[in-house]
Amino acid sequence: MPTPAIGVLALQGDVREHLAALAAAGAPARPVRRPEELDEVDALVIPGGESTTMVKLAGLFGLLEPLRARVRAGMPAYGSCAGMIMLADKILDGREDQETVGGIDMTVRRNAFGRQNESFEAAVEVSGIEGGPVEGVFIRAPWVESTGVAVEVLAVHDGHTVAVRQGNLLATSFHPELTGDHRVHALFAEMARGAAAAHR
């Protein structure tokens, strides 16, 4: 089955790396900056970056409400690091006025693994991904404090949840797009194909 059109939210963050990782996983993608570009894709990656900046820009570009509507309607979405925060229903240690796209019934703690100079790499066993651990790059990474009953925990590192799935939504604390290992992106492409097949 051909891969549905996948977009990468291109307001801020490591957009090029996600585009390259998706292409390497056999799922070429396109940048999304405007509501009309969002309308043209079937699935979306929300990259790492700065979550407060990203949500502010999404509001300025008129993307925040359309994003929420598409996620509620079942559009597959994958968020890495800041993207995980964007897909969380609740945030700890965020700004008081910080908004999210939401969609995953989880509470996420921002910068939980420490500041920029405390960044690290670690091998992470991810449920549903074969071939051994995924190399995870953690940069000012969040972790998941709690999840609702509909959320499947896919990976834990050092006692903390770092990858989850809820229906068509996937999120990781770490950056797989920075490692040359494209299995997380391949998993998301497979999720997008499954969602498209279910709608036929």
Side-chain angles (χ1 to χ4, degrees), residues 91-174:
I91 308 172
L92 299 176
D93 293 340
R95 285 174 31 173
E96 282 189 20
D97 60 346
Q98 185 166 351
E99 297 184 85
T100 69
V101 173
I104 300 180
D105 182 11
M106 63 179 174
T107 300
V108 168
R109 185 176 295 279
R110 291 179 74 239
N111 300 337
F113 282 105
R115 299 178 181 276
Q116 189 89 16
N117 61 359
E118 296 169 289
S119 302
F120 63 95
E121 293 188 30
V124 183
E125 291 278 0
V126 181
S127 178
I129 293 182
E130 298 178 354
V134 170
E135 192 65 21
V137 178
F138 292 80
I139 303 171
R140 293 175 61 205
W143 67 49
V144 180
E145 287 272 329
S146 62
T147 57
V149 293
V151 178
E152 179 186 3
V153 174
L154 300 182
V156 174
H157 175 71
D158 200 22
H160 301 289
T161 296
V162 295
V164 296
R165 179 176 178 177
Q166 181 177 340
N168 289 331
L169 303 177
L170 176 69
T172 62
S173 298
F174 52 88

Side-chain angles (χ1 to χ4, degrees), residues 64-75 101-103 169:
L64 192 55
E65 288 307 324
L67 272 171
R68 286 172 172 157
R70 288 293 305 277
V71 167
R72 281 196 301 267
M75 176 184 70
V101 173
L169 303 177

